[in-house]
Amino acid sequence: MKDEIMGITKRIIPCLDVKDGTTVKGTCFVSLRQAGDPVELGKAYSQAGADELVYLDITASHEGRKTFTDVVRRVAAEINIPFTVGGGINELDDVSRLLDAGADKVSVNSAALRRPQLITEIANKYGSQVCVCAIDARLEDVQQWYCYVKGGRERTEHQLFDWAREVQGRGAGEILFTSMNHDGTKQGFANDALAVLAEQLTIPIIASGGAGTMAHFRDAFTVGHADAALAASVFHFGEIPIPQLKQFLRNEGINVRL
């Protein structure tokens, strides 16, 4: 298991889902409500001690348009921590455009499932550290996790663990796993699935979907063996301040950057 090395620093990552230039948050990928300006939120999170940020243009793939380059440029001018951008990335030109605008990493999901070679191309040209593969999966009948595309709108026949192993083999530097069953429910992360991913893979796993309490973050690290934990609404609406979360985790024996 990759996190048996003691002392590995765990990361806390706010996620900003952006639609029409505004940060939004829903439950199980629907029922969106507004959460504020993505640039101002990002700046506040950077100042509060977030380790990284993820910006997802959540309707880019569904609407068939390019990711919000102007927002990326504005974010890069305001924050001093790494950030990942995803949504509507289909080719190397999209990656170049976003990296040039200031992003540190790109996240691919729908396009990678349609054409897995895209992962290899990104890793070969820019390095594995630039390529985050996002996997949105839902636990369905007979205890199988199926991967979804287009912002959770369309099911594929790819299964989570098989696809995650392929993603790693193709050169992705990290996996951002979102449980659609848990997303927005505030009932905790999908720790059983996270633990399987951690056991099978050597690249970092970012847990996403289900954060509601500080203990949920602890469990994602101690039970799910995640390398990072990502959340949205609990941060956007002030329910869990990042400095207090990090102090809680440190008190629980988890190595985080204070």
Side-chain angles (χ1 to χ4, degrees):
M1 191 179 298
K2 59 182 170 11
D3 63 349
E4 287 176 345
I5 303 169
M6 294 301 294
I8 291 178
T9 303
K10 304 295 188 179
R11 292 170 286 150
I12 299 299
I13 306 176
C15 181
L16 297 94
D17 294 339
V18 179
K19 182 177 187 290
D20 302 326
T22 299
T23 310
V24 296
K25 183 57 193 146
T27 302
C28 299
F29 283 49
V30 296
S31 303
L32 301 178
R33 58 174 172 154
Q34 294 191 359
D37 177 75
V39 180
E40 290 304 314
L41 274 174
K43 187 175 179 181
Y45 288 140
S46 177
Q47 294 169 346
D51 297 294
E52 298 182 20
L53 298 173
V54 171
Y55 283 87
L56 299 176
D57 190 346
I58 60 171
T59 58
S61 293
H62 172 60
E63 296 172 359
R65 59 184 169 76
K66 300 301 185 183
T67 313
F68 45 173
T69 314
D70 58 327
V71 173
V72 173
R73 194 171 288 112
R74 288 166 52 216
V75 169
E78 294 288 347
I79 71 170
N80 57 7
I81 57 174
F83 70 101
T84 300
V85 176
I89 297 170
N90 297 297
E91 56 193 11
L92 290 180
D93 284 350
D94 296 329
V95 179
S96 294
R97 175 169 49 82
L98 293 168
L99 295 179
D100 289 345
D104 298 279
K105 310 176 194 178
V106 296
S107 172
V108 292
N109 186 346
S110 300
L113 278 160
R114 286 194 304 269
R115 192 173 70 84
Q117 183 65 20
L118 178 63
I119 297 169
T120 310
E121 291 169 1
I122 295 171
N124 286 346
K125 182 166 184 178
Y126 306 102
S128 291
Q129 78 283 353
V130 165
C131 185
V132 178
C133 189
I135 303 178
D136 299 334
R138 186 189 296 278
L139 181 61
E140 299 185 359
D141 297 336
V142 297
Q143 297 302 293
Q144 291 286 0
W145 286 89
Y146 286 94
C147 300
Y148 277 68
V149 295
K150 296 184 178 178
R153 293 173 178 81
E154 187 177 301
R155 193 184 106 161
T156 73
E157 289 309 305
H158 287 270
Q159 294 183 5
L160 169 62
F161 303 115
D162 294 339
W163 175 235
R165 288 192 297 270
E166 179 176 348
V167 161
Q168 174 175 278
R170 288 183 174 276
E174 290 182 277
I175 287 175
L176 167 55
F177 162 54
T178 300
S179 165
M180 295 176 62
N181 306 74
H182 295 71
D183 178 68
T185 65
K186 301 184 183 180
Q187 298 299 305
F189 294 92
N191 293 319
D192 291 345
L194 285 166
V196 174
L197 289 170
E199 187 69 46
Q200 295 186 0
L201 304 176
T202 57
I203 60 176
I205 307 298
I206 304 169
S208 170
T213 68
M214 295 188 191
H216 291 155
F217 288 87
R218 176 199 63 205
D219 294 346
F221 296 132
T222 59
V223 180
H225 303 290
D227 298 274
L230 176 149
S233 61
V234 293
F235 296 144
H236 298 340
F237 301 114
E239 296 162 36
I240 300 180
I242 290 173
Q244 283 91 316
L245 171 61
K246 286 194 160 187
Q247 191 60 60
F248 167 83
L249 292 171
R250 177 66 66 88
N251 293 344
E252 292 287 314
I254 296 165
N255 187 8
V256 293
R257 179 182 65 86
L258 294 179

